[in-house]
């Protein structure tokens, strides 16, 4: 454990503290009026590419709420341009020339983070220097399969059928592309750690489209290699979020991440049973619960905390990103409730929160 590790970093490494740390997926974004105001002057792409603006947006939720971690304002698609793929946002990602042939896949190049995304590294340095020492800074990357989905499909989709059929029609080219994404994202995460990130997260937003056998064949090996490459270079907790991955958990446990993000469809105690009692979990309040009356919201928050007690340690979060129509006051309420309630649970049981 590095000296001066925050409550959040300690939890990521399986050490419970005086309460359960909390942050919110997509905490820097459109539900915040200050984000919408800033975005009236600067478009999304420009805001991700301008370190001062990205740093400002990253810190917006940190100024409003006593969150335990900041997550850099960027997108999982941000580094793809450096691999030779042009990405626009409308507001979801759009790739005008998706990768649909072996020749196109072979023409892509490995990411050089210092050459292609210096603005991300500068933004991390800025945020780390402004953030209080007891709050952690999370940097992230898209997981190889999820990036593959967008690259081949060309944008969002319900079933990513183009991507999934490419996997079957051209398994060798697909595996090469997944590998290139893996080495590129490993380099990206290492560069982000060296620029000041305290923890590293891999978002596998679409991996729930794979069954366990396909996950083991196409997603798991490249994830394992990505995680080992990062570990060989930097010592930072790694969080892996397999959205929709409730059928994949036994395989997810083999990724080698320190923390497993769980979506809201599975109680945390069931997830822990399948991951093993040594698991550290992150999650998993249903983002829709933030639209419930406070009495019900409170019960749901308490239930997530009690479920999280089954794990070696727990990081409180939603089960997926916050919806843009959420009332920001609900987050103030949630963060206070998690802080108070988990501190009380820790004192009552005589062991640190969630142990
Ligand atoms: O606060 C944070 O979490 C940090 C910022 C962040 C963004 N995107 C900013 C963003 C993070 C971590 C992401 C990750 C991301 N981006 C994922 C993985 C997480 C997940 O949700 O599963 C994915 C799949 C994407 C791709 C993406 N980017 C989509 C689908 C969209 C459209 C979202 C929507 O709700 O319409 C984006 C655009 C995007 N990324 C926005 C933000 C704040 C909205 C852009 C705007 O301001 O108009």
């Amino acid at each position: 454990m590095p000296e001066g590790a925050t409550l959040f970093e300690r939890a990521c490494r399986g050490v419970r503290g005086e309460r359960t740390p909390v942050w919110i997926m997509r905490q820097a974004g459109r539900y915040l009026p200050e984000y919408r105001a800033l975005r009236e002057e600067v478009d999304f792409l420009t805001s991700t590419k301008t370190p001062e603006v990205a740093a400002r947006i990253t810190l917006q939720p940190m100024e409003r709420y006593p969150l335990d971690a900041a997550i850099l304002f960027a997108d999982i698609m941000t580094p793809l341009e450096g691999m030779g793929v042009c990405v626009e946002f409308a507001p979801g990602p759009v790739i005008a020339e998706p990768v649909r042939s072996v020749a196109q896949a072979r023409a892509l190049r490995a990411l050089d983070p210092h050459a292609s995304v210096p603005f991300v590294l500068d933004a991390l340095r800025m945020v780390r220097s402004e953030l209080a020492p007891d709050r952690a800074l999370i940097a992230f990357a898209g997981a190889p399969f999820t990036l593959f989905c967008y690259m081949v499909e060309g944008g969002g989709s319900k079933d990513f059928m183009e991507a999934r059929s490419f996997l079957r029609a051209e398994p060798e080219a697909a595996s090469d592309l997944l590998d290139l994404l893996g080495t590129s994202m490993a380099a990206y995460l290492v560069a982000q750690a060296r620029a000041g990130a305290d923890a590293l997260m891999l978002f596998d937003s679409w991996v729930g489209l794979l069954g366990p056998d396909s996950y083991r064949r196409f997603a798991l090996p490249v994830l394992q290699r990505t995680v080992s490459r990062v570990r060989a270079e930097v010592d930072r907790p790694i969080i892996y979020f397999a959205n929709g991955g409730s059928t994949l958990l036994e395989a997810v446990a083999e990724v080698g991440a320190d923390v497993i993000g769980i979506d809201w469809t599975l109680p945390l105690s069931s997830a822990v049973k399948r991951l093993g009692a040594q698991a550290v979990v992150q999650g998993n309040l249903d983002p829709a619960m933030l639209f419930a009356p406070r009495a019900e919201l409170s019960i749901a928050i308490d239930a997530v905390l009690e479920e999280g007690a089954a794990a070696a340690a727990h990081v409180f979060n939603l089960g997926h990103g916050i919806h843009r129509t959420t009332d920001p006051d609900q987050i103030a309420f949630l963060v206070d409730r998690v802080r108070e309630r988990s501190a009380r649970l820790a004192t009552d049981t005589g062991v640190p929160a969630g142990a």
Side-chain angles (χ1 to χ4, degrees):
M1 185 81 60
E3 213 177 305
T6 59
L7 182 74
F8 168 83
E9 290 163 78
R10 280 183 278 141
C12 289
R13 294 181 191 265
V15 179
R16 286 178 179 270
E18 63 277 13
R19 57 179 178 79
T20 305
V22 51
W23 69 280
I24 305 293
M25 286 192 270
R26 293 271 178 107
Q27 64 191 22
R30 286 175 295 180
Y31 74 105
L32 286 179
E34 54 271 35
Y35 172 82
R36 294 195 300 269
L38 206 149
R39 281 275 283 93
E40 268 175 35
E41 286 152 44
V42 196
D43 68 77
F44 179 72
L45 257 183
T46 309
S47 31
T48 58
K49 289 184 176 176
T50 315
E52 293 75 15
V53 179
R56 184 75 255 109
I57 296 174
T58 303
L59 291 166
Q60 282 178 342
M62 305 309 289
E63 282 151 17
R64 218 183 229 269
Y65 315 112
L67 294 159
D68 292 291
I71 181 160
L72 186 76
F73 180 74
D75 197 87
I76 57 167
M77 309 298 283
T78 302
L80 297 191
E81 206 179 308
M83 297 179 67
V85 176
C86 189
V87 185
E88 281 165 310
F89 287 88
V94 181
I95 296 171
E97 286 181 57
V99 179
R100 297 269 170 92
S101 69
V102 175
Q104 276 175 300
R106 300 256 144 92
L108 297 170
R109 57 183 183 271
L111 177 75
D112 174 350
H114 296 280
S116 299
V117 282
F119 46 87
V120 170
L121 308 179
D122 286 340
L124 284 164
R125 285 184 202 100
M126 276 178 201
V127 174
R128 192 52 276 180
S129 73
E130 285 185 45
L131 199 61
D134 62 345
R135 303 204 205 180
L137 174 57
I138 304 168
F140 66 90
F145 178 74
T146 288
L147 294 176
F148 173 91
C149 280
Y150 282 111
M151 263 192 177
V152 177
E153 200 77 26
S157 160
K158 270 202 196 77
D159 56 8
F160 286 91
M161 202 53 210
E162 285 287 347
R164 287 159 58 216
S165 50
F166 189 78
L167 214 53
R168 302 301 171 174
E170 300 289 351
E172 232 179 272
S175 287
D176 288 354
L177 176 51
L178 285 162
D179 247 340
L180 184 69
L181 284 164
T183 47
S184 296
M185 292 311 114
Y188 185 47
L189 290 172
V190 168
Q192 292 190 91
R194 293 196 173 128
D198 304 301
L200 306 170
M201 178 152 170
L202 278 163
F203 281 97
D204 221 345
S205 309
W206 293 105
V207 83
L209 292 172
L210 295 176
D213 290 345
S214 304
Y215 181 83
R216 283 185 183 280
R217 177 170 172 201
F218 292 109
L220 182 60
V222 66
L223 280 163
Q224 288 170 328
R225 286 196 290 276
T226 306
V227 166
S228 338
R229 277 171 184 276
V230 173
R231 287 206 196 285
E233 299 288 330
V234 294
D235 179 22
R236 298 289 188 288
I238 298 173
I239 309 166
Y240 174 65
F241 176 55
N243 185 43
S246 57
T247 65
L248 308 172
L249 282 188
E250 287 75 13
V252 162
E254 294 172 32
V255 167
D258 299 276
V259 182
I260 304 299
I262 306 293
D263 69 33
W264 73 88
T265 61
L266 196 68
L268 291 181
S269 62
S270 315
V272 170
K273 261 191 209 123
R274 291 168 55 199
L275 291 166
Q278 78 298 331
V280 177
V281 291
Q282 174 174 282
N284 71 343
L285 185 78
D286 181 350
M289 275 310 303
L290 292 164
F291 297 84
R294 291 236 166 129
E296 266 179 64
L297 173 59
S298 302
I299 291 169
I301 292 168
D302 297 355
V304 170
L305 285 171
E306 278 153 34
E307 288 282 330
H314 175 208
V315 174
F316 195 100
N317 206 315
L318 304 181
H320 200 176
I322 184 170
H323 193 264
R324 65 185 157 74
T325 59
T326 308
D327 176 356
D329 288 343
Q330 292 291 79
I331 294 301
F333 178 80
L334 176 146
V335 173
D336 280 350
R337 179 100 190 168
V338 172
R339 288 174 67 98
E340 274 172 32
R341 182 83 190 173
S342 65
R344 195 138 29 94
L345 280 174
T347 321
D348 286 354
T349 50
V351 276

